Amino acid sequence: MFPHRLGLGLVAVALGASPLAAQTTPIAYEKVRLIPIVGDEIEDGVFVIQDGKITAVGPRGNTDVPANAERIDAGGKVIMPGLICTHSHIGGIGGADGSKPIQPEIRIYDSLNVRDPGFIRARAGGLTTLNIMPGSGHLLSGQTVYVKLRKAEKIDDMMMYDADGKPLGGIKMANGTNSQKKPPFPGTRGKSAALVREKYIKAREYREKLRKAANDPDKMPARDLGLEALVEVLDGKRVVHHHTHRHDDIMTVLRLAKEFKFRVVLHHISEGWMVADEIAAAGAPCSIILVDSPGGKLEASRLSFETGAILERAGAKVAFHTDDWITDSRLFFRSAALGMRAGMSRAGALRALTLAGAEMLDLQDRIGSLEIGKDADYIILDGDPFSVYTKVLETYIEGKKVFDRTDPNDRLIAVGGLGAGVEQRSYLCCQDDGEHAE
Amino acid sequence: MNVWTMSPLFLRAATLLTLLTAARTTAAQNLVVYADKLYTMAGPPIDMGVVVIHDGKIVEVGPAIEIQVPETYEVRQARIVTPGLVDVRATVGLTGILNYDHDQDQLERSSPIQPELRALDAYNIKDELVTWVRSFGVTTVHTGHAPGELISGQTIIVKTAGNTVEQSLLVSPATIACTLSSSARKSGGKSPGTRGKMIAMLRQELIKAREYLAKRKKSDNDKKPARDLKLEALVKVLRGDIPLMVTANRTQDIASALRVAKEFDIRIWLDSAAEAHLMLDEIKAAKIPVLVHPLMYRSWGEYKNMSWETPMMLRDAEVPFAMQSGYESYVPKVRVILFEAAIAAANGLTFEQALASITIDAARILGVDQRVGSLEPGKDGDVALYDGDPFEYTTHCIGTVINGIVVSEVER
């Protein structure tokens, strides 16, 4: 009946929480401490949502509350946007296999388990949007997906879609030691870059053939799922999310991005602090991780808590990521707080959990801040976001509650206990005894 | 004994005498630390407190206003001051910073039962991760062989600073490390391949050690069996000199540990114990302490039922416990007990209970509370300095002191 593929996403997004009702009752939170991300924090604010969207946000007295609104006295609790993780591995995923080092045809979409408790754990941490990626054991391990942590029975209902109804996502690449192994994988850094360049040159030629064919079925090249994905990368429609640690590997990524004009987000960058000015000059956004000590692999042995601060001072865009299971989604605030401990500004640390991540996923018009017209993705906290003692009380996506700490099932996941965890972790393609993964 | 309780005049004379007679290095072991709030862990916190360290030992603790402080001593000051932190179960110093064989000495894979392996011979006091944990206030670690073999080796209790392990050693051996979990299981027809086999092998080895002990006791030298390092080590456990530290997570493995302890009448410590919260009554009845796994471990496999509220539940059940940094095969290559206790403080423990779990309670379990774990006259001058609540994410450790020497001052 309705052209369901085309526009399904738009319809779902537009109607948000209530696909049937045209208008639902607005909900107005009062006596709330607002952290809107865009603009100053508001000590005594009002926050109004309706039909899955934010309809008002501002200080009490200056902000109109609709007459028909259901009013909630928040009693001084904190409301801020749902957190955005630009690099997660939850969902029981499996990406590219061991057959070759470059596999752009792989969609992580096809391996997600909607019932993975990792999704609940992420909601418990206040996360609402994730970029779920395959692992780093390949030069290119597949297409990533941007998902909202909606309660869903099938993964399609968690996906985010573009105007044509296509699922949104980027592509995962990696360099450095994780993707170096026995043939057909590269054994050196030089070979790694050469293989990537060869593939992108092929993609360019493929794109040229597509252009010349101009949709004439007789002239179209044979469909190649991998090259099709890389054409999207070359066209700037699909962002490259690039795992890279060492300072020279980071420079290699920037060099390749320049050559093929692909849009890139630098991920992890343990040694990013050494080339912060170069990163800033290239305008490459950085999605970083902090773990509790340096080391593991050689290229992460100079990891620093100060990376975020140094990049911020250099003028680079910084987001944090969980890399879940490397760090736990329930402790996402902790990552940014440790960054702040090492010199990041509070505003920068808050942005690094929200709007900066949205920008790296091209979703800044829909999520990442409390602004009128954006999705009503928000969380309620019982204290300052950067205190260890603070709890995420409730998490909302498009106006719908998806986590409630007072619900025994949700609480079990939030603190752990019998039945909270899983038998197996996600398959990231390259860990042996947990030694060579992310 | 305590010269600092005597008259100021005598005190100055004593100081002068110290300065005249002390070598350069010992002079540096005289230190005064002021605190806006001083957590001694031997009584209520003291506002505007001071710790005086003389010749590496604490000689005076109390309100600054009541204590005469020698003028010549080095001085430090911080908003919050605590005892140097005590890590109740680590592998730091054996697990180097890199996950490569050359850097990893925590687990010998050649045989499942090797109690003769001494941590003493493996602890690298200058490892950069030892320095790393020290920079967060950790001054004493119970470290050694990791979980992963049925009996993986010995452990030691040692300070996190010094030139040689001997200089910094408190206890060796501290325990024999035993693993009752699937991580100690082998495949391909090697033993132990099952949990049942694991316990059979452990019991058999303890029986052998008991017989060895009986034979060695014989007065007739000719009839004494030849020395056996393996059995000698286990004899220490059988005699009750040291505990068997059993890493067990699942309830059935915890139950096995309790069963073996009862059969051989040996002391055990329960290590890791992800499902301890499901066995509270049994653990309490067995009167054994729990060295709780890092709360930031990943909740899959044998840790799938772990809870951030385990410390709170152990407290409520009156089971002695302490927080550990544990063993990590991947990253973070070393965990920091300050961070782990913070999660406990945020999940049901009071601030002081969480702090006790990485100071005095850890020291009591380890049996070194006469030396470390609290700030009291006569104890080692081990102190940690913070610029705020130590558990808050944004607080820095601004100084670590061992035996009166400032060993770390980076703002970490």
Side-chain angles (χ1 to χ4, degrees), chain A residues 305-322:
Chain A
F305 282 12
E306 289 177 59
T307 298
I310 292 170
L311 289 167
E312 184 184 35
R313 283 198 293 273
K317 188 190 296 295
V318 181
F320 285 94
H321 64 243
T322 62

Side-chain angles (χ1 to χ4, degrees), chain A residues 290 305-307 309-310 313 337-344, chain B residues 396 411:
Chain A
L290 293 184
F305 282 12
E306 289 177 59
T307 298
I310 292 170
R313 283 198 293 273
L338 292 180
M340 203 165 96
R341 173 197 193 114
M344 253 186 124
Chain B
H396 306 93
E411 188 184 88

Side-chain angles (χ1 to χ4, degrees), chain A residues 121 177-178 291-301 303 305 325-328 330-331 333-334 337-338 340-343 385-391 405 411 414-425 433-438, chain B residues 97-101 109 128-129 132 136 250 275 277-278 295-309 329-336 338-340 342-343 345-347 351 389-397 411-412:
Chain A
R121 204 174 59 215
T177 48
N178 279 15
V291 291
D292 288 7
S293 57
K297 58 194 162 198
L298 189 58
E299 58 186 18
S301 60
L303 174 129
F305 282 12
W325 52 267
I326 299 298
T327 71
D328 192 313
R330 294 173 297 172
L331 295 167
F333 275 116
R334 181 173 184 270
L338 292 180
M340 203 165 96
R341 173 197 193 114
F386 293 130
S387 170
V388 67
Y389 303 109
T390 294
K391 304 284 189 296
R405 199 176 156 89
R411 195 180 184 287
V415 303
L418 184 60
V422 293
E423 201 62 54
Q424 297 278 327
R425 63 184 167 189
D433 286 336
E435 280 198 13
H436 299 290
E438 257 348 61
Chain B
I97 190 166
L98 297 175
N99 284 336
Y100 307 132
D101 288 348
R109 288 283 191 188
E128 50 198 304
L129 293 181
W132 179 263
F136 293 94
R250 287 198 197 163
E275 294 183 2
H277 60 91
L278 303 173
L295 295 183
M296 287 189 278
Y297 264 3
R298 300 172 180 117
S299 51
W300 62 276
E302 292 199 350
Y303 292 92
K304 67 179 179 179
N305 297 321
M306 62 171 258
S307 169
W308 285 350
E309 293 182 333
S329 68
Y330 188 48
V331 293
K333 201 51 223 168
V334 68
R335 292 175 191 270
V336 181
L338 179 68
F339 296 157
E340 302 301 334
I343 303 299
N347 286 278
F351 171 83
D389 174 349
F391 294 138
E392 279 291 13
Y393 296 142
T394 46
T395 294
H396 306 93
C397 177
E411 188 184 88
R412 192 83 88 190

Side-chain angles (χ1 to χ4, degrees), chain A residues 197-238:
Chain A
R197 293 184 64 227
E198 270 174 9
K199 190 72 180 182
Y200 273 103
I201 287 166
K202 271 193 192 137
R204 264 186 184 165
E205 291 164 358
Y206 186 74
R207 180 171 66 170
E208 199 48 39
K209 281 181 196 160
L210 288 175
R211 264 190 200 147
K212 281 186 180 155
N215 287 328
D216 179 345
D218 296 334
K219 295 179 186 164
M220 286 286 272
R223 279 193 71 184
D224 182 314
L225 292 178
L227 293 178
E228 278 179 11
L230 288 182
V231 166
E232 291 177 347
V233 173
L234 291 173
D235 287 344
K237 290 178 189 160
R238 196 175 273 285

Side-chain angles (χ1 to χ4, degrees), chain A residues 85-108:
Chain A
C85 178
T86 44
H87 189 136
S88 179
H89 298 296
I90 61 177
I93 51 154
D97 66 10
S99 60
K100 54 183 180 174
I102 298 178
Q103 303 190 39
E105 64 276 17
I106 302 297
R107 302 187 302 189
I108 206 71

Side-chain angles (χ1 to χ4, degrees), chain B residues 33-38 46-51 61-65 67 78 81:
Chain B
V33 181
Y34 290 98
D36 293 357
K37 196 154 203 164
L38 179 64
I46 300 167
D47 289 324
M48 306 312 285
V50 65
V51 184
V61 180
I65 201 164
I67 290 178
V81 169

Side-chain angles (χ1 to χ4, degrees), chain B residues 78-94:
Chain B
R79 283 185 61 194
I80 304 284
V81 169
T82 72
L85 308 184
V86 180
D87 188 338
V88 81
R89 177 16 165 180
T91 57
V92 70
L94 284 81

